[in-house]
Amino acid sequence: MSTAAYSSRLSGGFAIIGLLTAAIAFTRAFQFMSIYLLPSRISRYAHSTNGQPPWALVTGASDGIGRGFAAELAKQGFNVVLHGRNHAKLSSVMSKLQERHPDRSFRILIADASKVACLNCIRPVPGQSHTHEPDDSAPAPRTDFDALRTALDDLNLTVLVNNAGGGAVNPTFLSLGESSEARITGNVSLNALFPLHLTRALLPTLRRNSPSLVINVSSLADNGLPLLVSYCASKRFLLTMTEAVVREMKLLGKGGDVELLGVRVGKTTNTAYFTEKPSLFTPDSQTMARATLEKAGYGHGVVVGYWGHALQHLLIKAMPLWVKDRAFIAAIQMEAANDRKTT
């Protein structure tokens, strides 16, 4: 083969590779944009079954994004079960929602998400909390998931939002070596074990009432932040669980029409931790909840719920490892310093 012919074939090969690369990049860009431009399909889950109206269960509904989910779901035609561990807070939220949505029904479901399995046998360390927020109510018994399922059996439950979660407090930022067994176990219970067991318990109900939806709320912190090890790891657990359960249902042929949607969430306002004004990259909690619900109905799998957070996530993924390490360390140092000033 002559040199000219060889060069021509080589150039042709590079051209094909270039076209394939461009096509893949275009496809990925189109898929990314479509996620945030497609209309909401949440209404497909707002159906009656045997004459019963649709219900949604929102865990961690007393504040923040959970409260936003409850408000948005009520607006979209769902009756809502409000889960939490503080009855007074949930009663206040329910009263306000009932006032805004007089045609909807609401219930309260009390369960401490940080007390799954054998956590009660671990002695807490004085001065450290393993829960996501301070609570002066009496200690709760171990969570009984069979009892939770039974409490919801009379409802046409079509949506489960696994939103309850958060980092440990007192202090918020603490190295793994300094963290107590109770602190770590409580935080993993809250963010990983509770939604895992609740999904296990309610999947038969959701299959029976299908089409139905499970939303697992994770965090951009699952990229791995220092001094928040148990929180970051348990949030990544939640997304892996989402993907694994979908494949398991397909394998066993027991999925029915149940969609599982894992959603990464970035910083929002109107929570117990942040009270700043909303911005393009820091939406308020109800905007975040609305954006998440708009992703339902398409079988996306795992997404970043809000477009501004999605851009942040793309930037994180594009960073070289050494840049990412320095950026995360610097961010946590600043947050930890601010946390010490306010405590």
Side-chain angles (χ1 to χ4, degrees):
M1 181 184 298
S2 67
T3 303
Y6 179 77
S7 297
S8 177
R9 288 192 178 184
L10 191 62
S11 298
F14 282 135
I16 293 173
I17 292 173
L19 286 173
L20 288 174
T21 302
I24 292 171
F26 175 82
T27 301
R28 288 180 175 176
F30 176 78
Q31 289 174 337
F32 173 81
M33 289 187 293
S34 68
I35 288 174
Y36 302 95
L37 295 175
L38 292 169
S40 174
R41 284 186 177 175
I42 189 65
S43 60
R44 80 181 299 263
Y45 305 112
H47 62 85
S48 297
T49 302
N50 298 324
Q52 292 184 306
W55 281 80
L57 167 60
V58 180
T59 68
S62 61
D63 194 14
I65 300 173
R67 186 171 180 171
F69 272 120
E72 283 299 314
L73 286 163
K75 188 185 297 185
Q76 295 291 338
F78 293 87
N79 298 327
V80 185
V81 180
L82 307 169
H83 159 268
R85 59 197 182 93
N86 188 308
H87 194 281
K89 285 184 178 181
L90 290 174
S91 295
S92 176
V93 172
M94 185 170 70
S95 295
K96 292 175 182 177
L97 287 172
Q98 192 71 75
E99 184 178 342
R100 294 176 187 172
H101 306 281
D103 295 332
R104 302 284 175 261
S105 297
F106 299 90
R107 281 192 189 181
I108 288 175
L109 185 67
I110 301 295
D112 191 337
S114 68
K115 287 186 167 57
V116 175
C118 66
L119 177 61
N120 286 355
C121 63
I122 299 174
R123 186 177 63 185
V125 176
Q128 284 191 14
S129 174
H130 62 269
T131 58
H132 61 297
E133 63 180 7
D135 188 7
D136 52 9
S137 59
R142 189 175 73 180
T143 304
D144 185 341
F145 291 96
D146 289 335
L148 294 182
R149 181 180 63 243
T150 300
L152 302 171
D153 264 350
D154 63 320
L155 304 179
N156 175 32
L157 186 72
T158 61
V159 173
L160 165 61
V161 182
N162 282 315
N163 166 78
V169 296
N170 298 329
T172 301
F173 302 94
L174 197 66
S175 72
L176 182 62
E178 296 175 297
S179 299
S180 70
E181 187 177 357
R183 176 185 172 96
I184 293 170
T185 306
N187 198 227
V188 172
S189 169
L190 171 65
N191 293 301
L193 295 179
F194 183 79
L196 177 66
H197 283 297
L198 188 62
T199 302
R200 169 188 59 80
L202 294 179
L203 267 179
T205 301
L206 293 168
R207 282 197 293 264
R208 184 182 69 224
N209 299 333
S210 65
S212 54
L213 170 70
V214 178
I215 295 179
N216 293 324
V217 180
S218 183
S219 168
L220 289 182
D222 74 353
N223 283 286
L225 298 176
L227 307 184
L228 296 170
V229 173
S230 63
Y231 174 70
C232 297
S234 53
K235 283 300 185 181
R236 176 65 67 88
F237 174 102
L238 200 56
L239 296 184
T240 302
M241 180 194 94
T242 301
E243 296 175 329
V245 171
V246 168
R247 292 171 187 142
E248 180 176 281
M249 290 193 300
K250 290 178 180 178
L251 171 67
L252 300 177
K254 295 182 178 179
D257 190 0
V258 181
E259 177 187 6
L260 272 81
L261 179 66
V263 182
R264 284 187 172 97
V265 172
K267 191 176 181 181
T268 64
T269 65
N270 309 125
T271 70
Y273 308 103
F274 304 112
T275 55
E276 60 197 62
K277 293 182 179 179
S279 66
L280 286 177
F281 295 102
T282 308
D284 62 54
S285 299
Q286 191 155 345
T287 298
M288 182 69 248
R290 185 183 312 119
T292 296
L293 293 175
E294 288 172 353
K295 309 302 175 290
Y298 290 96
H300 288 315
V302 172
V303 299
V304 181
Y306 178 69
W307 69 268
H309 295 158
L311 293 178
Q312 292 173 331
H313 187 61
L314 286 177
L315 178 61
I316 290 170
K317 291 299 183 185
M319 288 180 180
L321 182 59
W322 67 271
V323 175
K324 187 186 301 185
D325 288 346
R326 291 187 180 183
F328 285 179
I329 290 170
I332 290 300
Q333 284 176 329
M334 183 174 65
E335 291 287 349
N338 292 335
D339 187 60
R340 286 193 294 269
K341 290 178 183 178
T342 57
T343 55

